[in-house]
């Protein structure tokens, strides 16, 4: 069965529909979220859907389709081919199609503040001509990014010092975390998400470098005894919940594109807020369950920061040799500056609402996009 036939067959399986308010002029926007309900991505798309319907007086109404239509890896092609108008993309999955986007994604270990990382990634991508061009070649228009919460260490013993890390086998989500582990005296182990619980419970690994939200989402709370909250850090900030099919984008009026951009700011903010809030809630849950919650020692943090800085040369080399990126060092420096800028705009020393974060994204990024020319 081809994708378009599959789409027609999934009409009854729509997870979330906003009824049209604008009568005959109303139009459905088909967005697929290729992960189970309850995810940060679904939360963000629902917030976007409500905001878009309100901004357009019901002329654009979102229908959210479940993973049974397109999974995470199928969504890229499905959006490109017009099976859906938009969808949740984890850009890390598509390095050969999106080599320019891989560079800031590889800078994962700079991530301490998810709100800042989503802002930095969004601003970098939409103002990077090669980044936009590679999406347009795939018949897609990038509309910002979201981020996971910052990674910690979820393990079966304290891991807060260099001595405690020595020889520990830790699940690593990618190359940056694996290199960090090796430089800190540990061993990075590549495992898929659904393998982590069994590996920790059987003692195959000593823990996982993951966002603390995984305590509940993959039940590590049942086997972990210790959590380090502020090391190693790092975020997955190539989460793309708002980008759209280019033909769909061209079919909108300038006014509709402006409304879509402004609502997309909230979609990115709400997705990131949900991931960050899940981290905070899981840390509190861990304490309630008697799990030891630690911060890394100053000495370990000092070494960690030095390791992360030194690894930038490796990332530049990977970008140049593997992805064919020109001027990788300059682009890395630009992204570092954007991270610093956004850490100043959205500091983590206060509580933010998704709406407040979205206002900053609109002011600094989305209001500066020309809806009459961008992506056309």
């Amino acid at each position: 069965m081809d994708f378009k036939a599959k789409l027609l067959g999934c009409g009854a399986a729509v997870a979330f529909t906003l009824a049209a308010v604008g009568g005959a002029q109303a139009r459905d926007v088909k967005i697929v979220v290729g992960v189970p309900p309850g995810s940060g991505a679904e939360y963000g798309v629902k917030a976007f859907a409500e905001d878009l319907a309100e901004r357009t007086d019901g002329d654009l109404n979102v229908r959210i389709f479940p993973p049974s239509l397109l999974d995470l890896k199928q969504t890229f092609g499905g959006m490109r081919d017009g099976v859906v108008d938009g969808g949740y993309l984890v850009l890390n999955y598509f390095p050969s199609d999106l080599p320019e986007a891989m560079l800031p994604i590889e800078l994962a270990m700079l991530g301490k503040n998810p709100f800042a990382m989503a802002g930095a990634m969004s601003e970098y991508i939409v103002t990077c001509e090669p980044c936009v061009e590679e999406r347009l070649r795939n018949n897609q228009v990038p509309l910002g990014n979201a981020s996971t919460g910052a990674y910690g260490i979820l393990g079966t013993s304290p891991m807060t010092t260099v001595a405690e890390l020595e020889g520990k086998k830790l699940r690593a989500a990618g190359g940056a975390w694996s290199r960090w582990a090796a430089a800190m005296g540990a061993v990075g182990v590549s495992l898929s998400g659904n393998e982590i619980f069994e590996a920790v419970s059987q003692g195959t690994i000593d823990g996982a470098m993951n966002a603390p939200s995984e305590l509940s989402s993959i039940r590590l709370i049942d086997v972990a005894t210790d959590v380090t909250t502020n090391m190693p850090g790092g975020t997955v900030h190539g989460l793309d919940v708002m980008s759209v099919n280019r033909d769909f984008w061209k079919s909108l009026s300038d006014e509709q594109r402006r409304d879509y951009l402004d609502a997309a700011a909230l979609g990115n903010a709400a997705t990131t807020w949900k991931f960050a809030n899940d981290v905070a809630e899981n840390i509190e849950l861990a304490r309630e369950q008697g799990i030891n919650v630690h911060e890394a020692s100053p000495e370990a943090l000092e070494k960690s920061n030095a390791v992360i800085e030194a690894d930038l040369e490796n990332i530049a080399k990977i970008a140049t040799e593997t992805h064919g990126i020109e001027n990788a060092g300059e682009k890395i420096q630009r992204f570092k500056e954007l991270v610093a800028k956004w850490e100043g705009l959205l500091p983590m020393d206060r509580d933010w609402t998704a709406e407040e974060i979205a206002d900053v994204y609109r002011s600094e990024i989305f209001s500066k996009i020309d809806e009459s020319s961008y992506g056309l």
Side-chain angles (χ1 to χ4, degrees), residues 29-307:
V29 181
K30 302 183 293 294
I31 296 180
V32 64
V33 180
V35 291
S39 69
E42 184 192 50
Y43 183 90
V45 173
K46 285 185 175 181
F48 160 79
E50 294 173 6
D51 195 51
L52 183 67
E54 183 176 346
R55 289 177 184 276
T56 63
D57 293 325
D59 287 345
L60 293 176
N61 297 281
V62 173
R63 299 176 68 193
I64 300 179
F65 290 82
S68 56
L69 174 62
L70 299 170
D71 65 25
L72 280 179
K73 291 192 175 180
Q74 293 170 328
T75 298
F76 188 87
M79 191 191 306
R80 178 194 61 214
D81 298 338
V83 176
V84 290
D85 302 313
Y88 174 39
L89 298 173
V90 180
L91 300 184
N92 314 45
Y93 291 172
F94 312 103
S96 60
D97 294 294
L98 306 174
E100 289 286 345
M102 290 306 107
L103 179 57
I105 287 171
E106 288 281 358
L107 299 170
M109 301 303 288
L110 297 179
K112 311 294 183 187
N113 173 337
F115 307 140
M117 296 306 289
M121 183 69 174
S122 297
E123 183 171 355
Y124 182 94
I125 293 294
V126 303
T127 59
C128 161
E129 185 174 344
C131 302
V132 175
E133 284 299 321
E134 68 185 9
R135 295 300 293 276
L136 298 183
R137 286 196 298 271
N138 285 283
N139 203 33
Q140 300 171 7
V141 181
L143 299 178
N145 293 85
S147 175
T148 66
Y151 277 33
I153 303 175
L154 320 176
T156 54
S157 66
M159 287 178 252
T160 64
T161 68
V162 175
E164 289 172 347
L165 283 169
E166 185 68 33
K168 293 295 192 300
K169 297 186 292 295
L170 301 173
R171 186 264 179 169
W177 283 280
S178 291
R179 294 191 299 272
W180 180 89
M184 297 292 288
V187 179
V189 179
S190 178
L191 292 173
S192 65
N194 59 12
E195 296 175 297
I196 299 172
F197 177 86
E198 184 177 1
V200 174
S201 63
Q202 294 184 351
T204 307
I205 60 176
D206 301 295
M209 294 180 283
N210 275 86
S213 49
E214 304 290 7
L215 286 166
S216 60
S217 65
I218 59 174
R219 300 309 302 171
L220 285 178
I221 198 164
D222 294 331
V223 292
T225 61
D226 293 83
V227 174
T228 303
T229 59
N230 62 338
M231 191 176 71
T235 51
V236 179
H237 47 268
L239 306 183
D240 188 322
V241 289
M242 290 290 103
S243 296
V244 293
N245 171 274
R246 191 181 187 186
D247 297 321
F248 164 79
W249 187 246
K250 289 179 177 179
S251 75
L252 301 178
S253 67
D254 286 356
E255 183 178 1
Q256 287 173 326
R257 281 193 289 270
R258 170 45 51 196
D259 289 336
Y260 208 101
L261 286 163
D262 288 340
L266 179 59
N268 290 313
T271 300
T272 306
W273 181 89
K274 172 63 171 167
F275 279 118
N277 190 64
D278 285 349
V279 166
E281 288 185 349
N282 272 265
I283 290 172
E284 287 308 308
L285 181 61
R287 289 192 174 102
E288 292 171 7
Q289 296 288 328
I291 292 173
N292 302 306
V293 177
H294 314 275
E295 290 193 350
S297 71
E299 295 77 14
L301 281 178
E302 183 178 0
K303 181 172 182 178
S304 174
N305 291 334
V307 165

